[in-house]
Amino acid sequence: MKQLFLSITLFIFIVTSSTAQEEKKSFTNENPHEVLILKKNSHFKKRPKNVILLIGDGMGVAQVFSAVTANRGVLNMTQMPFTGFSQTQSADRYITDSAAGGTALSSGQRTFNGALAVDTDTLSIPTILEISKSKGYATGLVSSSSITHATPASFIAHQPSRGMEEEIAADFIGSDIDIFIGGGRKFFVKRKDGRNLLNELENDKYLVFNSLDDASNINSGKLAILTAENHNEAYPERGEMLPEATEKAINVLKNNKKGFFLMVEGSMIDWGGHDNNTAYVVQETLDFDRAIGKALEFASSNKETLVVITADHETGGMTLNGGDIDKGEVSGRYTTGGHTAVMVPVFAYGAGADKFTGVYKNTDIFKKIKEAFGF
Ligand code: MG
Ligand code: ZN
C-alpha cells in the first residue's frame, strides 16, 4: 500500500514537473510587431558614412526562426538582402564566451575566453569604436544589460577579465564616446576606489541621465544614460527600452558630419538560452528585431548607412521541434545550458552590405566593417 502511494506521488510529481518543463519550452506570441518595408538596397556598392552593428547575444539560426515563427513569418532582420555565416571559435576554445566573441567582432583578433579587447598576451588591441573615434567619427554603445557587461565592454574596455566591471566602467572615462545607454550605474558610483565616475563624466561635459525619459529632449552633446543599477529587466518588464535607446543613439550620432559607429546589443537572448526558456528567447529576439527596425528605418532613408546584424555565439543548442506560423506558436528543445560552437547568421543592408555574404570567421566582421568605412 505504502509502495503504491509512493509510486502515485512520484507519478504525479513527474507529470506536474514535466508539464512545467513543457510550458517553458513552448510559446505563443499574441502581439506580433509590424515590420518595416525596406527600400531596395541598390546602393550596396557605396561607401558607408555610418555603421550600425547589432549583436544578438546567443542568437543562432533556431533563435532567429523561433522569432520568425512567433511573428507570423516576418521579421525586420530576415528582409535584409545580404546574408552570411560567422564562425565563432575563440583563441583557446572551440566554444567561445561573450567576451572573446565580442573582442573578435570589435577588434578583429581572437583572444582567450573572458578577455576584453586584449590579445592572448593581454596587450590592448584597438577596437572599431576607438578607430572610428580617432578618425573623427561619433561613437555609441547601447545594451539591454549593464553597459559594463562583456559584449559592450569588448568595444570600449581593455581588461583581461570580463568580471572586472569597475575597471571596465573606468575605461569609459577618456574614451570620448558620444553616447552610451544601458544599465550598470553601480559600477560608476559604488566603487572600491571611491571614485564617482558620473561626476568625472560631468566634468568631461557629459550630460548624465537615469532614464531615457529624462533625456527625451536632448539630442546633442555627449550623453551617458544609465537606465538601471545593474542589468535592465528582461522583456516585457523592460518595456521598449532597447528600440527606444537605439533610436535615441541614432538621433544623437547622426549630427556628426563625418559619420558614426554604433553598436547595439540584445543581451538577453543569451540568458533565455541558458535558461532553456523558449518564451524568454523568443520575446528577447522579437525585442531585438524591433531595435533592428529602428536601425533599418534610418538606413532605408539615409543611403550612406550600413547595418550589420550578427551574434557572438549560439546559446542552448536550441532547435525547434514544433510550431505554427499562422498562430505564432513555437516549441523549442535544448541540448545544453551553455553556449555551442555552431556558426551564427549575419544579415547586412545598406552601403557596403555586399561584403557580408559567404562563410567566414567572426574576426572578418571587424575587417569587413573597417574596409567598408575605408579605414
Ligand atoms: Mg552580452
Ligand atoms: Zn552566455
Side-chain angles (χ1 to χ4, degrees), residues 62-63 66 278 281-282 314-320 332-335 340:
Q63 285 79 356
S66 72
T278 303
V281 167
V282 172
E314 194 275 345
T315 306
M318 187 188 194
T319 192
L320 307 176
R333 288 290 183 276
Y334 303 84
T335 60
T340 68

Side-chain angles (χ1 to χ4, degrees), residues 20 46 55 66 81 88 105 149 187 199 223 245 277 289 294 308 315 346 371:
K46 276 198 181 173
I55 302 174
S66 72
T88 66
L105 299 171
H149 208 240
F187 301 109
N199 289 347
L223 301 184
N277 183 331
D289 190 63
K294 299 292 184 187
V308 180
T315 306
V346 182
E371 199 184 294

Side-chain angles (χ1 to χ4, degrees), residues 57 98 149 151 265 267 312:
D57 198 317
S98 293
H149 208 240
T151 312
E265 185 204 16
S267 316
D312 47 359

Side-chain angles (χ1 to χ4, degrees), residues 152-168:
S154 68
F155 284 80
I156 197 160
H158 302 274
Q159 300 293 344
S161 171
R162 59 184 287 171
M164 300 164 69
E165 286 187 89
E166 293 187 6
E167 289 82 355
I168 292 165

